[in-house]
Structure formats: structure tokens, C-alpha cells
Amino acid sequence: MGALDYLSNFCTVTSKRSKRKPMQTVEIKVKMDCDGCERRVKNAVTTMKGVKSVEVNRKQSRVTVSGYVEANKVLKRVKSTGKRAEFWPYIPQHLVCYPFVAGAYDKRAPSGYVRNVIQANNPTAGAAAEENMVSLFSDDNVNACSIM
């Protein structure tokens, strides 16, 4: 069987297909002041290969790109227009447990949005510190008398 396996390696046809990028939505925060800025950013992103739709919201300084694209390439293309751009750093306020934690509230954020920070999404981070303070003055704590 060794010779048969050896010869079959020469007869097989292997085709390497490039893996298609997954469909995704990329949201980018871009500072746009006028119609010309908006048009320049939209044209730069629309000409990319794999882009299906582009939505520009100048009031929120937000560009939403849907298609078979890589997020970093979209960000790089937007930055090539000369505009300051970053990935959309905000999430809706109703999805956050603690929207007023330090670092989450941003007055430049659009209405109804807060900055996406770990402390705002993690309810156990604040609860752990609170639990430690409660157990500090508990009757079960043998060192409670020395603290008082």
C-alpha cells in the first residue's frame, strides 16, 4: 500500500480557496464638521472591496460600515482622509449596570450613550468592595472589636 499512497499524492488536486471574511458591522467615531468632510469619508469607505453599505451620521460623528471587511482596514482608510478616527467607544446607557461609574460618563457622548468601560458592565466589581466593608463590622468577624 505504500506505493499506492505515494502515487495518489501526485494525482490528487488540491485547491486552496481563500477564506471569505465574515459579514460584520464596523462602527467608527469620526469628527466631521461639514458636508465635504462627510462626503470625503463616505467615498473613501464606499470604494473599499467588500463594503455593502455605509451610513454616516454627522450629528453623532458616527460612521457605520457593513460588509465583508476587516475593521482595522476600515479604520485605516478613514484615517487616510485626514480625519481623526477611532472605533466607536460608546454603548447604549440602558445596557450598563453602573452608567455613572468613573470613566463611563462622557459629556461628549451622544445622548443615551456612555463609554464602554469594564467597571460599568461588571456588577460584581462594586459588590465585592461593598461586601468587604459589611463583613468588617460583622459579629462573625473576630477582629471587629479591635477596629471599633
Side-chain angles (χ1 to χ4, degrees):
M1 285 297 193
L4 190 57
D5 288 333
Y6 180 76
L7 290 174
S8 68
N9 286 337
F10 292 114
C11 297
T12 59
V13 176
T14 58
S15 63
K16 292 187 178 183
R17 292 183 128 185
S18 62
K19 204 169 191 185
R20 191 172 188 184
K21 297 172 192 156
M23 175 77 161
Q24 63 178 350
T25 301
V26 181
E27 295 179 332
I28 299 176
K29 179 183 176 185
V30 184
K31 178 75 172 137
M32 296 175 283
D33 297 326
C34 61
D35 290 335
C37 299
E38 183 179 335
R39 186 176 56 248
R40 193 170 5 165
V41 169
K42 187 171 184 172
N43 287 341
V45 176
T46 306
T47 58
M48 289 182 68
K49 184 178 178 184
V51 173
K52 296 296 179 193
S53 69
V54 178
E55 296 175 21
V56 179
N57 188 339
R58 187 171 40 172
K59 186 174 181 181
Q60 289 186 344
S61 299
R62 181 181 195 170
V63 176
T64 306
V65 180
S66 298
Y68 301 100
V69 292
E70 291 181 27
N72 289 328
K73 287 185 179 180
V74 174
L75 181 65
K76 191 174 182 179
R77 179 65 69 98
V78 171
K79 283 184 177 180
S80 72
T81 63
K83 296 291 172 192
R84 212 171 103 214
E86 62 179 321
F87 289 116
W88 187 252
Y90 305 117
I91 56 175
Q93 188 171 357
H94 68 277
L95 297 178
V96 178
C97 298
Y98 302 105
F100 299 109
V101 73
Y105 182 73
D106 186 4
K107 52 184 178 177
R108 290 182 303 229
S111 178
Y113 287 91
V114 293
R115 203 167 261 287
N116 189 8
V117 292
I118 295 170
Q119 296 87 0
N121 290 329
N122 191 0
T124 59
E130 186 177 307
E131 186 176 314
N132 287 339
M133 292 302 289
V134 170
S135 67
L136 192 63
F137 298 104
S138 169
D139 290 337
D140 297 334
N141 186 0
V142 292
N143 298 322
C145 293
S146 62
I147 294 172
M148 292 183 190

